[in-house]
Amino acid sequence: MRLAVKRMSRAKGRRQKQAEPLNRPSIDRMLAVKTPERLHRRVAEGDREVPLIALRNAALMAVAYDTLLRRSELVSLLIEDLERVEDGSGTILVRRTKTDQEGEGAVKYLAPDTVGHVSAWLEAAGLTSGPLFRPVTKGGRVGAAALGDAEVYRLYREIALAAGVKLARPPSGHSTRVGATQDMFAAGFELLEVMQAGSWKTPAMPARYGERLRAQRGAARKLATLQNRA
């Protein structure tokens, strides 16, 4: 079986499909909408459940982009691990990641606007401890357990659709991670900086996410510029 898989890989290649990126312009559009289109009418009717969903969705997307967390890591965040700083920014402890099976933990930065979204959600939901992201039940009650990780990509798809974000394929649970990585490379950050932000132990995956952007700044591009061909 292993030999057959190897032969197939040699014949067809093993390149994996990359998640569709949610870059910052798409994130901003989605944050402006927050709520799936099908719920807008209920907001106007004063349904308390929908505003809570909107606030949670905004906080979820903002945190996902800043932290580059995988969906399972995102829904495992705890309120008591959130710390605010005087300048309006904050940090949050990720107790365990895919590459940290020993549970040493990693601290992630949250920008002031992201902390604002998180604070608005927590205040409206009346939460002070426990899971940061939770389901909102019918009638506007906030669940006690954490939001399921399978819900993350469903929410991304619904909000992207409502915001009119056009992608080649629907977003997945990794779309914010890919988008933030590409934005970092586009801003000129080095590979090691990106690896630290995304808690990668090896450079293979972040390099893959940003390979087209890095090719545009690589040696071939510099040579073409020196030769007046770019």
Side-chain angles (χ1 to χ4, degrees):
M1 179 67 73
R2 285 195 296 269
L3 289 174
V5 171
K6 287 182 179 179
R7 285 195 296 269
M8 186 182 302
S9 297
R10 285 195 294 268
K12 297 186 176 181
R14 299 183 62 180
R15 187 176 181 85
Q16 296 178 337
K17 286 186 177 180
Q18 179 177 290
E20 279 297 301
L22 285 171
N23 304 103
R24 192 66 213 183
S26 295
I27 293 292
D28 287 338
R29 289 185 64 179
M30 293 168 72
L31 287 174
V33 174
K34 305 185 188 74
T35 311
E37 187 68 33
R38 61 187 172 80
L39 299 179
H40 284 180
R41 177 176 55 82
R42 289 166 55 191
V43 174
E45 293 173 354
D47 190 335
R48 181 175 177 270
E49 175 189 358
V50 178
L52 280 177
I53 290 176
L55 293 171
R56 181 205 60 197
N57 288 355
L60 179 74
M61 297 217 56
V63 171
Y65 182 85
D66 276 2
T67 59
L68 283 76
L69 291 179
R70 303 168 182 87
R71 66 183 188 181
S72 60
E73 298 161 356
L74 192 62
V75 298
S76 70
L77 295 175
L78 299 176
I79 298 169
E80 47 265 45
D81 291 332
L82 172 68
E83 290 192 10
R84 296 173 176 82
V85 183
E86 291 182 359
D87 66 358
S89 66
T91 60
I92 192 161
L93 172 66
V94 186
R95 299 198 178 196
R96 188 183 297 273
T97 68
K98 181 179 178 181
T99 57
D100 174 31
Q101 295 304 311
E102 291 75 26
E104 295 181 4
V107 176
K108 300 291 185 177
Y109 170 80
L110 301 176
D113 58 331
T114 296
V115 173
H117 286 301
V118 171
S119 297
W121 152 243
L122 294 179
E123 182 178 354
L127 299 176
T128 57
S129 62
L132 176 57
F133 299 117
R134 312 183 189 196
V136 179
T137 63
K138 293 181 178 180
R141 293 184 179 181
V142 179
L147 189 71
D149 64 353
E151 290 292 289
V152 174
Y153 84 89
R154 182 185 66 80
L155 291 173
Y156 286 177
R157 294 182 181 197
E158 287 189 344
I159 303 168
L161 181 62
V165 173
K166 304 296 184 183
L167 301 173
R169 299 189 308 277
S172 73
H174 268 59
S175 289
T176 49
R177 185 170 171 85
V178 178
T181 300
Q182 292 183 351
D183 288 347
M184 289 179 182
F185 282 127
F189 299 159
E190 296 299 327
L191 180 57
L192 287 177
E193 294 178 285
V194 178
M195 287 176 60
Q196 187 277 329
S199 297
W200 281 289
K201 297 295 186 183
T202 64
M205 192 55 69
R208 167 83 185 285
Y209 289 165
E211 62 184 348
R212 293 188 182 276
L213 291 170
R214 297 177 73 224
Q216 287 291 329
R217 300 202 314 266
R221 171 63 181 268
K222 292 175 182 178
L223 177 60
T225 301
L226 289 173
Q227 295 171 341
N228 294 320
R229 296 187 297 115

